[in-house]
Amino acid sequence: MSRALHEVASGTLLGVALNYQGLLQQHLAAFNEPPYKQPPVKPVLFIKTPNTRNQHGQPVTYPSAVDRLQPGPALGVVIGKDASRVSVENALAHVAGYTIVNEFSLPEDSYYRPAVKAKCRDGFCSLGPELVPAAQVPNPQALGIRLLVNGELRQHNNTANCVRSVAQLIAEISEFMTLHAGDVLITGTPEGRVDVLPGDRVTVEIDGLGQLINTIVAE
């Protein structure tokens, strides 16, 4: 039986940008220009603040005075026990389970500096519908991920195309910060983000994890 998400996923919502190969390739030319002159060498992280928390079946508000809103389908990794300086080999032993995340955002200008104003609006991080225990997901790097808007397939990818695996992310992040039990690692949204409008029904599907559904409502 899957445990209720709210029981085990009450910690920090930690997002990873640029974690799909296709997305990274799209931006390589810009990364080689000043001021950066190279692609990121470590995970590019951002926080979804507590006010962003939302859940399956609940509305997501399309803020007034914004032009565009984009859903962000992602695999969510719920940490089950504290992880500090863990190896890649031992990293998955710190995972309680997996869930679906829809990481909503206004369009982003810079992946190096994810904007709080774009990413941290109320209700902009939906999680659910449940926690699937890690034992039921033998390979988190072999999961199809799909975004549907009003039943129409708009994004389709696979976690096999991630730049860093779940184990690599846990190992690299836990080098400099402890991941605590209850934290949720949002492992990245694939390339090809789409715009949604009030009235749209937005569904994220991940193999073995079910469907996370939210409806967009005008502010």
Side-chain angles (χ1 to χ4, degrees), residues 198-219:
D200 284 345
R201 186 173 189 260
V202 181
T203 303
V204 181
E205 297 179 342
I206 298 181
D207 293 346
L209 304 186
Q211 291 186 327
L212 172 64
I213 302 172
N214 299 95
T215 301
I216 310 302
V217 298
E219 186 171 23

Side-chain angles (χ1 to χ4, degrees), residues 3-202:
R3 295 163 68 191
L5 255 182
H6 65 83
E7 294 176 9
V8 288
S10 57
T12 300
L13 303 172
L14 187 65
V16 183
L18 291 170
N19 199 37
Y20 274 82
Q21 296 286 356
L23 188 61
L24 186 62
Q25 293 299 320
Q26 282 179 4
H27 292 276
L28 276 183
F31 290 148
N32 288 318
E33 299 289 322
Y36 305 112
K37 298 186 179 178
Q38 66 172 358
V41 294
K42 291 290 185 180
V44 178
L45 305 177
F46 60 92
I47 300 290
K48 298 291 271 197
T49 45
N51 64 295
T52 64
R53 282 182 173 272
N54 208 332
Q55 56 189 337
H56 175 65
Q58 295 303 303
V60 172
T61 299
Y62 190 111
S64 60
V66 305
D67 295 326
R68 298 166 65 195
L69 173 64
Q70 298 180 330
L75 173 67
V77 181
V78 181
I79 302 300
K81 62 179 179 179
D82 290 4
S84 177
R85 301 181 188 277
V86 301
S87 66
V88 172
E89 293 74 23
N90 294 330
L92 294 184
H94 296 262
V95 175
Y98 301 90
T99 192
I100 302 172
V101 180
N102 197 343
E103 187 265 298
F104 285 87
S105 180
L106 310 184
E108 295 163 82
D109 295 322
S110 171
Y111 282 99
Y112 276 93
R113 295 190 182 94
V116 171
K117 193 172 180 180
K119 289 194 160 292
C120 296
R121 305 287 180 112
D122 292 349
F124 264 26
C125 192
S126 190
L127 296 90
E130 61 186 359
L131 178 79
V132 177
Q136 295 180 23
V137 184
N139 184 5
Q141 304 311 136
L143 302 176
I145 182 168
R146 295 167 292 279
L147 174 79
L148 299 94
V149 181
N150 301 322
E152 179 188 350
L153 183 65
R154 301 294 301 276
Q155 274 180 285
H156 184 205
N157 215 302
N158 194 289
T159 56
N161 297 320
C162 285
V163 176
R164 289 175 175 85
S165 68
V166 171
Q168 287 174 293
L169 286 172
I170 292 171
E172 288 194 39
I173 295 168
S174 73
E175 282 178 14
F176 65 89
M177 64 180 280
T178 299
L179 293 169
H180 292 287
D183 289 350
V184 181
L185 194 56
I186 305 165
T187 60
T189 290
E191 66 274 13
R193 287 185 90 147
V194 302
D195 294 350
V196 293
L197 294 167
D200 284 345
R201 186 173 189 260
V202 181

